[in-house]
Amino acid sequence: MMTAPALSVAALAVARGGIVVLHGLDFALSPGEALVLHGPNGIGKTSLLRTLAGLAPPAAGRIDAAPDSLAYAGHLDGMKGTLTVAENLRFWARAYGAAGIDGALAAMDLRPLADRPAGGLSAGQKRRLGLARLLVTGRPVWLLDEPTVSLDAASLALLAAVLGAHLRQGGSVLAASHADLGLAGARAFDLAPFRAGGAAAGRFGEAFA
């Protein structure tokens, strides 16, 4: 019996600032599978991920995923600077109904920082905290926007281990990344054929991925 996709899109069009930047997208993501979005800056990778996460409406087409199955980690790390690392994770664990935060702290090597206010963390530490948040969501499909930004080599290894474990447990990963995520067997998905508007679309919001 075939396994149903964890996420699928059909004839999807994505807009940014009211202008369609991608159209005609068709792909599916299976449990245990990683898909890495490729394309130059400005093509619409972030806009696609935000649309899939429900933060922006699709311009056209269909998105199919189980309710409450998607977790998004974007450019902002989603933390409160006045709360400690542990308090931030407990906040998100309560929001998602997770049992605890110990596994997330250990996975991203945050135990030594558990009592430190998040506002005082370095950029790399903040990114590790933002990624640890995924582990307390309990959601199987992770949408990642440039997750390697600000991470050093040791932190990149932690991320690769976390993503690998998630896939082995039947989770799925859809990521926009210019860096190697260290995931054997990950599929590449080039967004260039789905670009809308030609050069004008590329110039619009060229600072966005």
Side-chain angles (χ1 to χ4, degrees):
M1 189 173 77
M2 293 184 63
T3 302
L7 169 68
S8 64
V9 306
L12 182 67
V14 172
R16 181 175 61 225
I19 299 175
V20 173
V21 292
L22 295 169
H23 67 99
L25 287 160
D26 288 277
F27 65 86
L29 185 64
S30 300
E33 183 179 31
L35 188 65
V36 181
L37 303 174
H38 287 182
N41 289 342
I43 199 168
K45 297 187 293 294
T46 291
S47 298
L48 172 57
L49 291 172
R50 286 177 55 82
T51 299
L52 295 174
L55 300 176
R62 179 170 175 170
I63 300 169
D64 289 308
D68 298 325
S69 64
L70 307 179
Y72 173 63
H75 292 163
L76 300 178
D77 295 313
M79 70 184 68
K80 296 182 181 295
T82 57
L83 299 182
T84 67
V85 166
E87 288 168 341
N88 270 279
L89 286 177
R90 289 192 192 102
F91 170 84
W92 287 109
R94 287 194 297 269
Y96 287 103
I101 66 169
D102 288 346
L105 287 172
M108 295 308 297
D109 193 24
L110 291 169
R111 282 176 174 163
L113 304 172
D115 297 324
R116 184 177 300 183
L121 300 178
S122 70
Q125 291 166 341
K126 288 177 180 177
R127 178 48 57 101
R128 279 159 48 205
L129 175 55
L131 294 169
R133 181 167 56 90
L134 293 168
L135 292 163
V136 302
T137 65
R139 296 189 172 186
V141 183
W142 291 357
L143 309 174
L144 310 180
D145 195 356
E146 297 295 346
T148 64
V149 171
S150 300
L151 296 183
D152 59 17
S155 298
L156 288 172
L158 292 174
L159 174 60
V162 165
L163 296 180
H166 183 64
L167 295 174
R168 288 192 296 273
Q169 294 163 6
S172 305
V173 173
L174 178 63
S177 179
H178 292 289
D180 183 6
L181 297 178
L183 297 176
R187 288 195 296 129
F189 187 73
D190 186 6
L191 294 180
F194 306 98
R195 189 172 198 161
R203 290 193 299 268
F204 179 85
E206 62 185 1
F208 296 88

